[in-house]
Amino acid sequence: MRHLYIHVPFCQRRCSYCDFSIAVRKRIPAAEYVDAVLREWGSADPGPAARGGPISTLYFGGGTPSLLPPDAITTLVDKLLRSADPGPAARGGQEVTLEANPEDVTPDKAKAWRAAGINRVSLGAQSFDDAVLKWMHRSHDAARIGAAVHALRGAGIENISLDLIFGLPEELKRNWERDLDMAHALRTTHLSLYGLTVEPRTPLDRWISRGATQAPDDERYAEEYLLAHRRLTAGGFLFYEVSNAALPGFHSRHNSAYWSGKPYRGLGPAAHSFDGTTRRWNLRAWEAYRRAIAEGRSAVESEERLTAEQQELERVYLALRTEEGLATTAPYRPLPPLMSRGWFVEHNGRLRCTPEGWLRLDSLVNELAMHTETQP
Ligand code: SF4
């Protein structure tokens, strides 16, 4: 298994739009967490040979992995990589990503992360507007984002991604263009852009239900997405996936593995694993996960074996999410009505979504799949 994901479920508070599997904690039970993850890894791990070689990407996602003390991160990187690593020669090429919130990044922590082997940090910036950050229930202000980027660079971590959220309710008067300019001015290597969605049982969902805020609107979503596409492309970024743009050579190798259907292993509460045909996911809640591991039970909550048809649909969907696109070998020939609407382009035998196509990705995949089923 060459791609390893570690889910760190802890957060200091819940952001207004978030429905992730998190555990809100003032005190992070770091020792218990590290022990549980390493036990999960050890209990089901068949050893390097059966895993298919050394780990090439390790990704700490959450939750808020930057809430773990640096020595806990050091232990995890060391134990997880060393147990699968055939030697220092293979180490140079590993991508080791940590998701971090700006308020957790200090020069000392950044140095400790770098010493632990972290060479890529994904920062949850979301916006450079303090009023918007407050509305989102974020724990940082805009000034912390720049300070975090400088601290990371000072520690030798140059591969930095910023997450930004767009498509916010109109009443916030968020200036998306200004936020994109502020992000660009920090000269990070990567940006991930997420449109705001209203998930059930989140604070945002409740605000909308009682009329305290407006639901995000589709027109604004589309305008802001297309604006980001134009500006970032003009600034030298390549949208290599529907929500992700990078300078040349700085795409996320870990996430690219997901989008190309490669197997991966996930550890920690709510983590998913995939072996090419079967997807497994762990118990969502930290307490349930912790108890299962402590009692020597499997942390897997359930699994789903994909049928050949599901695998094919997923392959098409994932390929069209990326800049690489889908090979136009039969049965996926370009569909004239979709081409004429400007949602696809065909180039070098591959079908690729345009930015306008990416805005309709789900319906395009369905249309393409339905069409191929009816082809003679
Ligand atoms: S920090 Fe991230 S995971 Fe935690 S509540 Fe906020 S959005 Fe969700």
Side-chain angles (χ1 to χ4, degrees):
M1 201 62 70
R2 296 170 57 81
H3 305 282
L4 186 57
Y5 173 82
I6 314 296
H7 188 78
V8 186
F10 310 109
C11 289
Q12 277 180 333
R13 59 169 111 162
R14 187 173 283 278
C15 298
S16 58
Y17 50 84
C18 179
D19 76 333
F20 290 174
S21 170
I22 61 163
V24 175
R25 292 286 185 282
K26 279 210 163 55
R27 192 193 67 80
I28 306 303
E32 257 183 306
Y33 172 79
V34 169
D35 184 57
V37 167
L38 292 178
R39 282 173 74 169
E40 186 192 358
W41 174 243
S43 65
D45 182 24
R51 256 194 319 266
I55 291 168
S56 60
T57 69
L58 173 61
Y59 192 106
F60 290 91
T64 313
S66 53
L67 285 177
L68 284 179
D71 59 342
I73 294 171
T74 304
T75 304
L76 285 170
V77 174
D78 205 37
K79 294 250 165 72
L80 295 170
L81 290 190
R82 201 178 49 201
S83 66
D85 190 352
R91 281 191 166 229
Q94 283 162 331
E95 178 189 273
V96 187
T97 302
L98 182 82
E99 285 183 357
N101 276 349
E103 68 273 20
D104 296 332
V105 187
T106 62
D108 285 349
K109 274 195 184 171
K111 277 186 207 133
W113 295 341
R114 185 68 197 101
I118 303 293
N119 53 23
R120 182 173 185 275
V121 169
S122 174
L123 271 182
Q126 317 311 357
S127 173
F128 290 85
D129 179 325
D130 283 340
V132 166
L133 290 169
K134 204 164 163 209
W135 179 88
M136 290 177 172
H137 290 175
R138 301 291 299 178
S139 312
H140 65 274
D141 60 14
R144 287 296 309 209
I145 304 169
V149 169
H150 293 305
L152 291 169
R153 287 214 180 99
I157 300 175
E158 298 286 343
N159 194 356
I160 303 167
S161 179
L162 296 181
D163 284 0
L164 294 176
I165 299 185
F166 65 95
L168 302 179
E170 218 226 315
E171 84 251 15
L172 290 173
K173 306 250 175 284
R174 191 267 194 95
N175 186 334
W176 175 233
E177 203 163 352
R178 176 179 169 273
D179 270 6
L180 286 172
D181 286 346
M182 303 272 290
H184 198 238
L186 288 175
R187 294 177 294 105
T188 58
T189 51
H190 190 283
L191 285 163
S192 297
L193 309 178
Y194 301 104
L196 183 71
T197 52
V198 184
E199 305 298 339
R201 292 180 296 282
T202 55
L204 176 60
D205 184 34
R206 288 193 289 276
W207 297 343
I208 292 171
S209 308
R210 63 168 192 259
T213 194
Q214 292 163 354
D217 89 63
D218 291 349
E219 211 171 305
R220 171 180 297 270
Y221 183 103
E223 270 170 24
E224 293 191 351
Y225 179 76
L226 295 174
L227 174 72
H229 206 282
R230 282 195 302 277
R231 285 184 92 91
L232 294 178
T233 304
F237 281 79
L238 172 71
F239 265 79
Y240 67 103
E241 194 264 350
V242 54
S243 303
N244 288 279
L247 292 177
F250 288 99
H251 67 284
S252 161
R253 282 164 46 202
H254 185 85
N255 290 333
S256 296
Y258 295 153
W259 302 321
S260 53
K262 297 220 170 76
Y264 52 84
R265 171 96 191 268
L267 301 174
H272 283 55
S273 301
F274 181 58
D275 65 8
T277 50
T278 301
R279 190 168 288 120
R280 297 183 175 81
W281 53 96
N282 280 351
L283 294 157
R284 271 176 72 88
W286 156 242
E287 274 307 322
Y289 169 85
R290 187 196 61 75
R291 243 191 337 266
I293 298 284
E295 291 168 5
R297 289 183 283 117
S298 166
V300 174
E301 181 181 79
S302 194
E303 65 177 51
E304 171 191 36
R305 192 179 167 80
L306 302 183
T307 62
E309 200 179 319
Q310 285 170 323
Q311 282 183 52
E312 181 56 9
L313 195 62
E314 189 161 300
R315 189 185 71 80
V316 171
Y317 176 70
L318 291 176
L320 287 175
R321 277 177 71 153
T322 68
E323 203 267 335
E324 222 166 284
L326 181 69
T328 51
T329 46
Y332 298 109
R333 296 189 187 90
L335 308 180
L338 300 182
M339 301 293 287
S340 67
R341 280 178 241 159
W343 296 341
F344 283 130
V345 288
E346 194 192 4
H347 184 63
N348 285 344
R350 302 198 73 89
L351 200 56
R352 299 195 176 105
C353 283
T354 60
E356 290 78 8
W358 268 336
L359 282 169
R360 307 166 169 83
L361 185 58
D362 291 351
S363 59
L364 286 187
V365 171
N366 286 335
E367 217 166 317
L368 201 58
M370 270 165 52
H371 182 87
T372 55
E373 277 166 16
T374 57
Q375 280 192 115

